[in-house]
Amino acid sequence: MKKAYDPFLRVLVKRPGLPLRAEVVENTLRSMQELVDGPIECVTVTEDLAIVCNEEGKLDGLELNRALRDEDGDI
């Protein structure tokens, strides 16, 4: 069954050095870009969960936040 479009998303925001916090944001590209302060990269974790990060964060030297690891524990 297809899910209805929701104009808002419930998100968990994790910034380096700060505690995790819940927010509600518009379900738009622009709001996601504003949230990560740049172009976005999405990593699908499950059907209902994705990680959205700054696609150029590593290239721009942004502070590391969380590492994603594969089945072998490699980053």
Side-chain angles (χ1 to χ4, degrees), residues 14-65:
K14 178 63 179 97
R15 301 222 184 263
L18 296 174
L20 190 67
R21 72 176 192 272
E23 289 189 22
V24 175
V25 298
E26 286 185 72
N27 189 0
T28 65
L29 174 61
R30 180 172 296 215
S31 69
M32 290 288 109
Q33 289 171 330
E34 288 173 359
L35 194 61
V36 302
D37 196 28
I40 64 168
E41 179 176 356
C42 297
V43 179
T44 301
V45 178
T46 68
E47 182 180 318
D48 295 325
L49 176 66
I51 295 171
V52 179
C53 60
N54 185 316
E55 180 180 46
E56 298 174 350
K58 197 172 186 180
L59 296 172
D60 291 343
L62 296 180
E63 185 177 354
L64 296 178
N65 194 348

Side-chain angles (χ1 to χ4, degrees), residues 1 7 22 50 70 72:
M1 184 161 111
D70 64 17
D72 299 322

